[in-house]
Amino acid sequence: MDIQRASTPDEADRFAFEAGRTVIEQAKGMLMLVYGIGEQQAFELLRSCSQHINVRVRELAQRILTELPTAGGQAAKAPLRVDLNRILSGRSPQPDQ
């Protein structure tokens, strides 16, 4: 669905909901990969952390997608886990030294 084609408030709301859900699903996938957990556990972790740092689940998920560097493979999991732990705890990225 194209945002420009969302002509009614219901369509715009549905588009926003779907976009938010997509962000959450992608963040859950990252949690599942990095921590080796299941889908339900990933959502519970995301929800719990969002409550702990007082941000919406969607906003925390967006931070994960924005701030977590994209990398693949087993060797990348440890650095990703450090960054993911930082994001989930609500800390900002450290400036480059």
Side-chain angles (χ1 to χ4, degrees):
M1 175 179 220
D2 187 346
I3 188 87
Q4 294 175 349
R5 294 177 45 203
S7 58
T8 68
D10 288 341
E11 288 176 346
D13 288 344
R14 188 172 67 227
F15 179 81
F17 174 79
E18 290 296 326
R21 187 165 74 179
T22 299
V23 167
I24 292 169
E25 291 298 318
Q26 289 174 343
K28 280 175 30 184
M30 294 177 114
L31 292 170
M32 292 166 63
L33 172 70
V34 172
Y35 292 119
I37 58 178
E39 185 176 353
Q40 186 63 34
Q41 290 172 308
F43 181 74
E44 290 301 320
L45 178 60
L46 194 60
R47 186 180 60 78
S48 173
C49 289
S50 78
Q51 290 175 348
H52 180 73
I53 63 173
N54 198 28
V55 299
R56 293 178 185 267
V57 170
R58 180 180 34 80
E59 292 171 19
L60 180 56
Q62 185 61 56
R63 276 193 66 193
I64 290 170
L65 298 182
T66 302
E67 295 180 25
L68 197 66
T70 56
Q74 291 293 336
K77 281 187 180 181
L80 288 176
R81 187 175 291 209
V82 170
D83 282 336
L84 197 49
N85 287 339
R86 176 190 50 78
I87 294 166
L88 290 172
S89 68
R91 295 190 316 262
S92 298
Q94 297 296 321
D96 291 335
Q97 297 182 16

